[in-house]
Each structure stands twice: as structure tokens, then as C-alpha cells.
């Protein structure tokens, strides 16, 4: 059985809202995001520019300041209801951040082994379609800290 990639409007809005946090950022390239053969994600925006972008996104999406729980930190928590396609949405967000800004390193933290397996399965089920849509195939691996224990 093959799953078909669909993008309901709420997922498109979520993906673009996260990408818009970095609106105005210089795209990461070899010249500005490499240091001694290490490729990094570099953000050229100030904390204030990020906060301004977040506030704009909140208002564009019709969210009140009290609902947004804004804090003056460089963190963003994006929440979606159960069953709305969070896993596929955040995977596509990573692809979109690469497409728009050249960001190429992402860590997905999950609270349990079954959820980790669900993320892996979702990626595998949609890998070909995501590669076709975004014209890139990422190098994905599962990090296991227990393998480092001797």
C-alpha cells in the first residue's frame, strides 16, 4: 500500500508560518555556513527580528497575543491537535526550511520508542514523494545514545 502526500490548508499554513519566522534571513551557503569543513545552520537575524517575525505571523494567522503565550526567547513551540498530521507537517517544514533558507540540520526529539518508530515509518512512507516535491533527499539517521555507552 502506498500513501499519497496531501497538504490540507492547516498544514500548509503551519509549514509557511514556521518558515516565516526566518523571513529576511540570508540563505545559508557554503561561503557563510561552513567553518573548517563543518556545515552549520547559521541565522543572520537578530533576536528582535525573529520576535518581530513571530508577532507578524501571530497576527496574520488571527491568533491573539494572550493565546500565543509570547516570551522573549529564541524558541518557538508550534502546537497542533491530535490527528492533524503533525509528523508529516514538521518533516515537510524541515524540507521547506532547506528550500527557502538552506537550513540543513534538524533534530527530531520524541518521548518514546513507539513515537520514534512512527516518525521513521512516516518518513519512509513519504520519502519518495517528499524528494520529488522538494528536489532533495536528506541523509536521515536515528541517533541512539546507548550505542555510545561502553
Amino acid at each position: 500500500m502506498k500513501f499519497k502526500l496531501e497538504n490540507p490548508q492547516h498544514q500548509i499554513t503551519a509549514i509557511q508560518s514556521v518558515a516565516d519566522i526566518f523571513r529576511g534571513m540570508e540563505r545559508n551557503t557554503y561561503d557563510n555556513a561552513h567553518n573548517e569543513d563543518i556545515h552549520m545552520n547559521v541565522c543572520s537575524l537578530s533576536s528582535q527580528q525573529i520576535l518581530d517575525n513571530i508577532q507578524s505571523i501571530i497576527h496574520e494567522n488571527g491568533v491573539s497575543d494572550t493565546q500565543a503565550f509570547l516570551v522573549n526567547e529564541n524558541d518557538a513551540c508550534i502546537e497542533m491537535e491530535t490527528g492533524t498530521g503533525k509528523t508529516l507537517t514538521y518533516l515537510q517544514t524541515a524540507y521547506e526550511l532547506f528550500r527557502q533558507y538552506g537550513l540543513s540540520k534538524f533534530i527530531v526529539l520524541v518521548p518514546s520508542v513507539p513515537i520514534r518508530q512512527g516518525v521513521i515509518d512516516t518518513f519512509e512512507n513519504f520519502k519518495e514523494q517528499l524528494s520529488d516535491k522538494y528536489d532533495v533527499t536528506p541523509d536521515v539517521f536515528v541517533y541512539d545514545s546507548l550505542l555510545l555507552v561502553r
Side-chain angles (χ1 to χ4, degrees):
M1 176 161 86
K2 188 170 182 168
F3 294 97
K4 183 179 183 299
L5 182 63
E6 295 178 352
N7 284 112
Q9 188 57 49
H10 70 276
Q11 291 179 355
I12 294 167
T13 300
I15 293 164
Q16 194 54 53
S17 293
V18 174
D20 285 347
I21 291 171
F22 302 98
R23 191 181 305 150
M25 185 178 101
E26 180 182 354
R27 183 174 171 74
N28 280 207
T29 65
Y30 184 85
D31 292 332
N32 69 3
H34 272 82
N35 185 8
E36 297 181 20
D37 293 329
I38 297 172
H39 183 79
M40 305 170 285
N41 283 340
V42 177
C43 181
S44 60
L45 300 176
S46 69
S47 295
Q48 186 59 51
Q49 288 171 304
I50 291 172
L51 183 59
D52 291 346
N53 285 346
I54 291 171
Q55 288 173 332
S56 292
I57 295 161
I58 288 168
H59 295 294
E60 289 165 11
N61 288 328
V63 177
S64 71
D65 289 340
T66 54
Q67 288 176 306
F69 302 110
L70 282 179
V71 293
N72 195 13
E73 297 178 10
N74 280 340
D75 292 329
C77 178
I78 292 83
E79 299 178 4
M80 294 173 70
E81 296 291 331
T82 299
T84 56
K86 287 183 294 295
T87 303
L88 195 52
T89 301
Y90 65 69
L91 290 174
Q92 287 189 88
T93 300
Y95 279 87
E96 191 63 35
L97 291 171
F98 175 75
R99 180 191 328 206
Q100 290 188 34
Y101 305 108
L103 299 175
S104 60
K105 294 183 187 285
F106 302 93
I107 298 172
V108 176
L109 296 173
V110 295
S112 67
V113 172
I115 293 174
R116 179 184 70 189
Q117 191 58 50
V119 172
I120 294 166
D121 291 347
T122 299
F123 178 75
E124 288 300 321
N125 287 331
F126 292 98
K127 182 166 131 178
E128 184 179 318
Q129 294 173 71
L130 290 170
S131 294
D132 291 344
K133 179 177 179 177
Y134 292 96
D135 200 30
V136 65
T137 303
D139 181 19
V140 177
F141 63 93
V142 175
Y143 175 80
D144 187 347
S145 62
L146 295 178
L147 295 177
L148 299 176
V149 177
R150 298 185 196 274

